[in-house]
C-alpha cells in the first residue's frame, strides 16, 4: 500500500505496520535519484552494468555510502513524515549515510546467507556477531528499512518477510529484560515460533522503501532474474530509549500488544 509525500502514512498503513510489522512506501524517492545511486555503486564495486560476463559472484557487499544522492534518498519529505509517524517526532536521527548494500547478481550458486533472522542492534563490539544482542525495548534501533535502488520483481532476490513475526520475537525477548538476547539465542530453534507466518516479498520499483519493525524476521534468497539487484538495509537510529512520559509510538504499541 503506497504512502504519499503530502499526507504521510494513512491510519490504515500505521495499523498495518502494527499488525504485520512493515509498511511499503512507493515513490519514497525518485527513480532518477535511484539511478544516480546505482551508478555510484557500480563504480564502488568496480563493475559495469554492460559487462555481465564480469558478474561472477552471487553477492558483493558495500558497507556504507554517504554521498549526497544517498543522503537525499534517505531523507525525503515523505520518509521523514513516516519516521515521525512510526517512531515519534524528535525520537530518531536523520540518516547521514545508507548501508549495508548486499548487491545480488543472477546466479545458480547456493547461498550461505539466506537464513531467517532478525537484525540485532547492540553489543556489536563483540567479534562474534552471533553474540550481538537485541532487547525488548529495541535499544539502538528504531526501524529496519529496505531501500530499493533497482526494480525488484519476484525473481530478483527480493527480501523475504515473515508477516507478523515481530510479535513473536517481542514475546521471546521479554524474559531477557534490558540485557537482551544474543543472536545465537534468538536463532537457536530456527525461529520456530514464526514458521506459520505468511511470507511477503519486498518487491517494487526503484524508489520504493519498506519500513519494518526492528523485530521482523526476514531472509535473503537467490537471484533468478536477469539484472543485478541493488538494495540497502539500514537501521533508523533512535535518539534514546523508550520514554514512558511520551505517548507510545506504533513501534512500542506493537511490542506492548504482543507482550500483553
Amino acid at each position: 500500500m503506497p504512502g504519499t509525500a503530502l499526507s504521510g502514512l494513512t491510519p490504515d498503513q500505521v495499523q498495518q505496520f502494527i499488525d504485520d510489522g512493515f509498511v511499503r512506501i512507493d515513490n519514497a524517492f525518485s527513480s532518477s535519484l535511484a539511478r544516480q545511486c546505482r551508478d555510484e555503486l557500480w563504480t564502488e564495486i568496480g563493475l559495469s552494468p554492460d559487462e555481465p560476463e564480469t558478474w561472477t559472484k552471487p553477492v558483493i557487499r558495500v558497507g556504507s555510502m554517504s554521498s549526497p544522492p544517498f543522503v537525499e534518498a534517505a531523507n525525503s519529505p515523505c520518509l521523514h513524515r513516516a519516521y515521525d509517524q512510526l517512531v515519534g517526532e524528535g525520537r530518531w536521527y536523520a540518516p547521514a549515510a545508507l548501508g549495508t548494500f548486499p548487491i545480488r547478481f543472477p546466479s545458480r550458486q547456493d547461498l550461505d546467507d539466506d537464513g531467517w533472522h532478525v537484525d540485532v542492534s547492540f553489543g556489536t563490539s563483540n567479534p562474534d556477531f552471533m553474540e550481538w544482542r537485541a532487547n525488548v525495548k529495541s535499544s539502538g534501533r528504531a526501524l529496519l528499512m529496505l531501500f530499493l535502488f533497482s526494480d525488484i520483481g519476484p525473481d530478483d532476490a527480493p527480501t523475504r518477510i515473515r508477516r507478523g513475526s515481530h510479535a513473536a520475537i517481542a514475546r521471546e525477548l521479554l524474559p531477557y529484560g534490558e540485557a537482551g538476547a544474543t543472536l545465537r539465542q534468538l536463532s537457536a530453534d530456527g525461529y520456530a515460533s514464526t514458521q506459520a507466518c505468511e511470507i511477503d516479498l519486498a518487491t517494487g520499483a526503484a524508489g520504493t522503501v519498506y519500513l519494518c519493525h526492528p523485530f521482523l524476521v526476514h531472509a535473503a534468497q537467490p537471484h533468478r532474474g536477469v539484472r543485478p539487484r541493488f538494495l540497502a538495509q539500514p537501521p533508523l537510529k533512535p535518539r534514546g530509549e523508550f520514554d514512558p512520559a511520551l505517548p507510545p509510538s506504533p513501534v512500542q504499541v506493537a511490542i506492548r500488544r504482543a507482550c500483553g
Side-chain angles (χ1 to χ4, degrees):
M1 188 183 298
T4 65
L6 294 178
S7 59
L9 301 176
T10 67
D12 284 346
Q13 287 176 299
V14 173
Q15 189 62 50
Q16 178 197 354
F17 175 87
I18 293 170
D19 294 342
D20 296 342
F22 69 95
V23 64
R24 166 179 163 168
I25 304 178
D26 293 334
N27 304 307
F29 57 96
S30 70
S31 59
S32 61
L33 189 58
R35 187 180 310 111
Q36 292 179 55
C37 293
R38 286 199 307 275
D39 290 344
E40 289 198 22
L41 287 165
W42 279 114
T43 300
E44 181 72 14
I45 63 177
L47 295 176
S48 167
D50 302 317
E51 298 175 352
E53 67 276 7
T54 65
W55 307 342
T56 58
K57 297 180 179 179
V59 60
I60 296 176
R61 296 182 183 276
V62 175
S64 181
M65 298 291 285
S66 58
S67 62
F70 293 94
V71 176
E72 182 180 349
N75 292 283
S76 67
C78 73
L79 285 177
H80 272 213
R81 176 63 180 141
Y83 301 158
D84 279 343
Q85 290 177 278
L86 298 179
V87 179
E89 293 187 26
R91 302 188 211 178
W92 48 272
Y93 287 109
L98 283 180
T100 56
F101 294 84
I103 303 170
R104 297 195 182 275
F105 295 84
S107 176
R108 297 298 172 183
Q109 296 182 39
D110 291 332
L111 299 181
D112 60 3
D113 65 347
D114 58 349
W116 293 101
H117 65 282
V118 295
D119 284 8
V120 286
S121 56
F122 65 97
T124 55
S125 60
N126 193 313
D128 180 0
F129 76 91
M130 291 298 292
E131 290 299 308
W132 297 0
R133 311 179 82 86
N135 64 18
V136 73
K137 298 193 301 181
S138 192
S139 297
R141 184 184 296 269
L143 292 172
L144 163 69
M145 306 189 289
L146 305 175
F147 280 73
L148 279 58
F149 286 99
S150 60
D151 295 345
I152 299 178
D155 293 331
D156 302 319
T159 300
R160 295 176 290 161
I161 293 170
R162 283 184 171 172
R163 187 191 304 175
S165 56
H166 62 307
I169 298 303
R171 288 189 290 271
E172 291 181 17
L173 285 170
L174 183 61
Y176 290 94
E178 190 161 344
T182 66
L183 183 58
R184 180 171 282 109
Q185 289 169 317
L186 286 172
S187 306
D189 65 355
Y191 299 90
S193 64
T194 70
Q195 286 179 356
C197 294
E198 292 186 36
I199 296 177
D200 290 282
L201 301 179
T203 59
T208 301
V209 173
Y210 285 76
L211 299 182
C212 307
H213 196 280
F215 301 159
L216 194 68
V217 178
H218 57 286
Q221 63 174 314
H223 194 315
R224 304 307 187 203
V226 177
R227 304 298 298 175
R229 185 212 72 174
F230 289 82
L231 173 88
Q233 47 190 30
L236 185 70
K237 294 289 189 178
R239 286 189 173 271
E241 300 285 358
F242 292 161
D243 185 346
L246 297 173
S249 68
V251 171
Q252 293 168 270
V253 170
I255 295 170
R256 291 181 177 186
R257 191 176 72 173
C259 296

